[in-house]
Amino acid sequence: MAELFNVYPLYDIEPVRAQGSYLWDVNGTRYLDLYGGHAVISVGHTHPRYVQALTDQLNKISFYSNSVRIPQQQELADKLGDLSGHPDYALFLCNSGAEANENALKLASFHNGRTKVVAFTKSFHGRTAGAVAVTDNPAIVAPVNYNQHVSFLPYNNVEAAKAGITSETCAVIVEGIQGVGGIQVATDEFLQALRQRCDETGAILILDGVQCGYGRSGKFFSHQFSGIEADIISMAKGMGNGFPIGGILISPKFKASYGLLGTTFGGNHLACTAGIAVLDIMKEEGLMENATRMGNYLMDGIRQIGGYKELRGRGLMIGIEYDFPVDALRKTLLFEHKQFTGVAGKTIIRLLPSLAIGVDEADQFLEALRVCLNAEKAEV
């Protein structure tokens, strides 16, 4: 019998049904989902409008290549441009965040003919060749993943950025809020300095919004808090609410030509339908506003509970750093309180719930966290 290549440590849980912010396993046990499968579930599991849109499209046509007109692509571009505040940017569609960053880097190099890239410590941009080369994790960079062209500068260090970005720099790639890196929020001063230095040197500024984009921070893209505009913005994760889709928004300074970028599956009928449904739901249900409101609610509650080393984040992208390893805390939340959370490193609990999460779900988590931390204190 063929076996799966064993690269994922698995919890012995088999979800078979989901609705809103909840999952049910094969035994009928209900779990509260505060992680959304790595920030993927943006509008809630099996939202009825989302399910209906995909079902209707599946009954018509699910796929054809980019050699024909696919009107859903233009509808997605129009709605994305409107809701994100970038109506003058062009959209290129692909299938994942890694692909989005690959295409962003490639487009930047085509544009200015340069090869050197500036990335930042604790960054994560994907696992494919170009994306992993700008990811600050040697453990996942294979010998074939050439990265001698990449310089890693300290995140949120303005002076290092000013010195490290030069006239030889092709692109600067940065997350507005680092996810895997521990929910590190870029300061306004830092992002503004990157924008200024790229303007001075002709480097292309790429904002990786794969995890911190799509309304999760309370704005459509987290870097919009700083008042800057990126040259290219990468997206994926919550873009399709679970259906694989990614893309880049491209500023008007870039000129398209046939064959410059390409994809087989990117922008297919079903993917675009999923993307359109997500944007419609986000707009009509005010989910960016809810991300701000519920993010503040959760962070206020976490502050009242206390016991942490540092609390970071914006909207519904929250990191709680403790002065002890959180693996046991995460397992207790999961197996005793039936709540999915994430981690970043060894000491940070990471929360990435649906943008539609409500007060009842937030209160369930806060009570469970309080109980867990009290039990931790009692053991000490």
Side-chain angles (χ1 to χ4, degrees):
M1 184 177 73
E3 294 183 357
L4 296 174
F5 198 52
N6 189 19
V7 294
Y8 301 115
L10 301 179
Y11 290 122
D12 189 19
I13 298 171
E14 182 184 344
V16 295
R17 185 166 67 90
Q19 181 68 53
S21 291
Y22 295 98
L23 303 165
W24 286 262
D25 70 11
V26 68
N27 300 312
T29 303
R30 189 182 77 166
Y31 295 81
L32 175 61
D33 185 7
L34 295 154
Y35 195 56
H38 306 301
V40 166
I41 301 301
S42 50
V43 300
H45 291 282
T46 60
H47 189 291
R49 178 163 180 171
Y50 173 85
V51 171
Q52 189 62 56
L54 281 169
T55 301
D56 290 346
Q57 185 59 53
L58 190 58
N59 283 319
K60 296 173 184 174
I61 179 173
S62 61
F63 174 82
Y64 206 75
S65 75
N66 284 296
S67 60
V68 299
R69 292 190 181 277
I70 302 175
Q72 290 91 338
Q73 293 181 354
Q74 188 61 56
E75 183 180 357
L76 177 57
D78 289 341
K79 289 181 173 179
L80 176 57
D82 176 63
L83 196 59
S84 71
H86 289 291
D88 58 336
Y89 278 44
L91 175 64
F92 175 78
L93 291 163
C94 52
N95 308 286
S96 69
E99 286 181 63
N101 286 326
E102 291 278 346
N103 282 288
L105 291 163
K106 186 176 183 180
L107 186 59
S109 187
F110 272 135
H111 181 76
N112 58 25
R114 303 174 187 175
T115 59
K116 294 185 177 180
V117 178
V118 166
F120 296 92
T121 52
K122 296 186 178 180
S123 62
F124 186 92
H125 299 290
R127 291 175 179 269
T128 52
V132 81
V134 294
T135 291
D136 185 27
N137 182 355
I140 64 172
V141 181
V144 74
N145 298 134
Y146 174 86
N147 66 354
Q148 285 79 1
H149 62 299
V150 180
S151 299
F152 290 97
L153 303 181
Y155 191 76
N156 270 337
N157 187 315
V158 171
E159 293 308 313
K162 288 179 178 179
I165 302 168
T166 73
S167 59
E168 294 185 341
T169 303
C170 167
V172 177
I173 184 166
V174 63
E175 299 156 272
I177 304 173
Q178 291 186 328
V180 175
I183 315 298
Q184 308 291 338
V185 181
T187 65
D188 293 347
E189 181 187 17
F190 176 61
L191 291 179
Q192 290 162 5
L194 296 184
R195 177 69 275 172
Q196 179 180 349
R197 192 65 183 133
C198 285
D199 289 339
E200 292 169 351
T201 62
I204 297 303
L205 181 58
I206 302 169
L207 263 296
D208 180 340
V210 169
Q211 189 171 134
C212 61
Y214 252 76
R216 180 155 295 280
S217 67
K219 288 188 180 291
F220 201 90
F221 296 114
S222 64
H223 67 267
Q224 290 172 321
F225 283 97
S226 70
I228 68 161
E229 290 197 351
D231 297 314
I232 307 174
I233 307 166
S234 58
M235 308 162 290
K237 297 294 187 190
M239 193 174 181
N241 202 53
F243 197 98
I245 181 173
I248 51 176
L249 280 173
I250 306 162
S251 86
K253 71 168 61 177
F254 296 89
K255 179 178 173 55
S257 61
Y258 293 148
L260 188 71
L261 304 176
T263 172
T264 296
F265 295 105
N268 67 71
H269 295 78
L270 278 176
C272 289
T273 298
I276 291 165
V278 165
L279 291 172
D280 286 344
I281 294 165
M282 285 177 63
K283 183 176 182 178
E284 293 172 14
E285 298 187 5
L287 294 190
M288 284 193 286
E289 295 81 0
N290 192 64
T292 298
R293 182 168 55 251
M294 292 308 305
N296 289 338
Y297 186 88
L298 277 165
M299 292 182 83
D300 286 345
I302 294 164
R303 288 189 189 99
Q304 290 175 26
I305 294 168
Y308 56 82
K309 179 181 177 182
E310 189 174 353
L311 178 62
R312 299 185 294 270
R314 263 185 171 143
L316 290 172
M317 189 169 183
I318 298 172
I320 320 167
E321 183 170 2
Y322 294 96
D323 59 6
F324 55 85
V326 296
D327 185 59
L329 172 58
R330 186 189 187 195
K331 287 181 178 178
T332 300
L333 285 167
L334 179 58
F335 291 108
E336 294 186 17
H337 297 274
K338 311 303 180 186
Q339 297 182 6
F340 278 94
T341 60
V343 294
K346 296 184 179 300
T347 60
I348 302 164
I349 291 288
R350 186 163 41 144
L351 303 181
L352 302 164
S354 158
L355 306 188
I357 191 173
V359 170
D360 180 63
E361 291 83 9
D363 284 344
Q364 290 179 53
F365 167 72
L366 293 171
E367 179 57 26
L369 182 65
R370 189 190 317 274
V371 168
C372 289
L373 292 178
N374 285 342
E376 181 87 16
K377 289 178 187 176
E379 289 179 6
V380 175

